[in-house]
Amino acid sequence: MDISSLLPQFGSLLEMIAAFVVALSVIVAVHEYGHYIVGRWCGIKADVFSLGFGPVLLSRVDRHGTRWQLAALPFGGYVKFRGDADPASAGKDGAAISELSPSELRQTMHGAPLWARAATVLAGPVFNFILSILIFGAVLMVQGRVAEPLTISALPPLPYEELTLEPGDQVLAIDGQELPAFSEREAFRDMLDALPHERVLPYAVLRAGEETIVRGPYPIPPRVAQLSPKSAAYEIDMEVGDMILAVNGREIAAFDEIKEIVEASEGARLQLEVWREGEILEFVLAPRRVDEPQPDGGFKTEWRIGIAGGYAFEPATATLGPVQAAGAGVTAMTGVITNSLSGLYHMVTGAISSCNMSGPIGIAQVSGAMASQGVDSFIWFIAVLSTAVGLLNLFPIPVLDGGHLMFYGYEAVRGKPPSDGALRVFMSIGLTLILALMGFALLNDVLC
């Protein structure tokens, strides 16, 4: 057996693991730092801030008495506050607490006021949401919004001859259809729908101050602009930038034609003729059923191969201001939360497949796939995952932050916390639920 044949797969595995560790480390570090810094602001001292578990590789003690450490297993992290029996803050170290003075007891999670404990616990998920908003906003700020009037910024390589559309051209009309403002999305889409499905169309453009007719590509060609991880197209090694010329021998000019063929296939295998950097490649794949979120909050099951289209050109953009970018970041984050909750509800009710839930293997695969598609895709994925981690931690399950907040709510109503015995029982139940959920998700990674 030639061991060299295994090297590409081994390299891909290492890249996948590295991407997963980086993404998880960033998210966990921000989450735990939220607990730590807000706890410190509230007068609660932390004994340990650990990134990772297991044997300690590096550590130092700061002037506040907190030991910052890097551990050998980089799959999580924790903050151990003064007086905690364990890193999960699941109980108190009775022996240590009994020796503390009243002022020292105030510096523990168990002796601090209710508001301070609640703020400290809530800070972890909140910091995850803040990280997501900052990343979403920063990416959208860099990308900008399409400038008006629509002007060509760049053209990617295309397999069409005699294209005379050039960067700097201001588009006035396509195939005689006057171009509406790009911001008028519905009117712009109606104009595109009215265009004939031809690979090359006449464009009326303003060039150097003069109106002229040039030859340009169909605005949304059958070009792979995005590739979904774990999809049929991804698993046969299609790439962003691939141009699909034909499906089952039928020539294709518009991305919508691919969508129509795939949806009508009902899962039957499709043969694709693909242009990639001057080469013609042949691919065979079978569409898969995918549960897609809808604007009304529901889901619709469709046949998909895992690609998304985009414009045949890069439009010139205008930079978003900080306030606009922050607003767009909040919108993107709330969209992730809404889709996640909707997906969970529809899985529980059986409306969509439970295979939509991924475990650590699936998340690691997506991490590697997004990293392979570029830094911007990977950073965007970190923001999505950070939102998901923040949301998950708010679920009212003992062991999670939401479980602690639930106990604090009980304490606020009753005037006293649950007994230590009750807490131990609830924590055991919560841990069992989390382990069962992780096992179920891991099973999905293997079987789905």
Side-chain angles (χ1 to χ4, degrees), residues 122-418:
L122 183 62
V126 168
F127 268 54
N128 280 134
F129 296 146
I130 292 173
L131 174 65
S132 298
I133 292 170
L134 291 175
I135 291 178
F136 285 139
V139 171
L140 294 170
M141 181 182 286
V142 170
Q143 290 178 345
R145 56 179 173 79
V146 175
E148 303 284 6
L150 181 64
T151 303
I152 307 300
S153 174
L155 285 161
L158 297 172
Y160 305 148
E161 297 180 356
E162 300 179 0
L163 293 178
T164 55
L165 185 67
E166 297 179 357
D169 287 345
Q170 179 183 321
V171 181
L172 304 176
I174 302 176
D175 195 49
Q177 299 284 332
E178 185 176 348
L179 200 71
F182 189 84
S183 57
E184 298 174 6
R185 296 299 178 88
E186 187 172 343
F188 197 88
R189 184 68 206 185
D190 289 342
M191 184 276 296
L192 294 179
D193 290 341
L195 296 176
H197 287 174
E198 297 178 6
R199 291 179 173 176
V200 180
L201 295 168
Y203 280 58
V205 303
L206 194 64
R207 177 183 295 176
E210 295 185 5
E211 185 174 337
T212 184
I213 301 297
V214 300
R215 292 169 57 82
Y218 185 87
I220 305 181
R223 180 176 179 271
V224 179
Q226 295 179 7
L227 193 61
S228 298
K230 301 173 66 177
S231 65
Y234 180 83
E235 292 182 359
I236 62 169
D237 296 325
M238 290 189 69
E239 297 179 0
V240 171
D242 284 351
M243 178 72 78
I244 300 173
L245 302 178
V247 180
N248 290 342
R250 170 184 161 184
E251 289 191 352
I252 299 297
F255 190 86
D256 280 349
E257 293 179 275
I258 301 176
K259 186 177 178 181
E260 293 170 2
I261 294 172
V262 170
E263 289 179 350
S265 70
E266 296 186 349
R269 295 169 72 84
L270 302 175
Q271 184 170 350
L272 308 182
E273 181 182 324
V274 174
W275 178 90
R276 178 188 295 170
E277 297 179 349
E279 293 186 61
I280 303 298
L281 307 175
E282 298 285 342
F283 292 100
V284 176
L285 52 68
R288 300 173 181 175
R289 284 189 177 274
V290 176
D291 298 310
E292 296 184 338
Q294 302 298 303
D296 62 1
F299 279 79
K300 185 178 181 182
T301 302
E302 296 281 10
W303 293 100
R304 295 288 185 259
I305 61 175
I307 64 174
Y311 289 101
F313 45 78
E314 294 181 21
T317 59
T319 303
L320 288 177
V323 175
Q324 290 175 305
V330 171
T331 299
M333 185 204 67
T334 54
V336 173
I337 292 175
T338 300
N339 288 337
S340 298
L341 293 176
S342 177
L344 181 61
Y345 170 78
H346 284 84
M347 277 188 282
V348 170
T349 58
I352 63 175
S353 170
S354 61
C355 285
N356 286 280
M357 178 181 292
S358 294
I361 295 176
I363 295 172
Q365 289 174 330
V366 175
S367 299
M370 299 306 288
S372 69
Q373 294 186 38
V375 175
D376 54 346
S377 295
F378 182 58
I379 291 176
W380 188 272
F381 170 72
I382 289 177
V384 172
L385 189 58
S386 182
T387 300
V389 168
L391 177 63
L392 176 63
N393 269 278
L394 287 178
F395 285 4
I397 300 174
V399 178
L400 298 180
D401 294 332
H404 289 289
L405 292 173
M406 180 177 63
F407 294 141
Y408 295 155
Y410 172 89
E411 182 178 347
V413 173
R414 293 293 305 273
K416 62 179 181 178

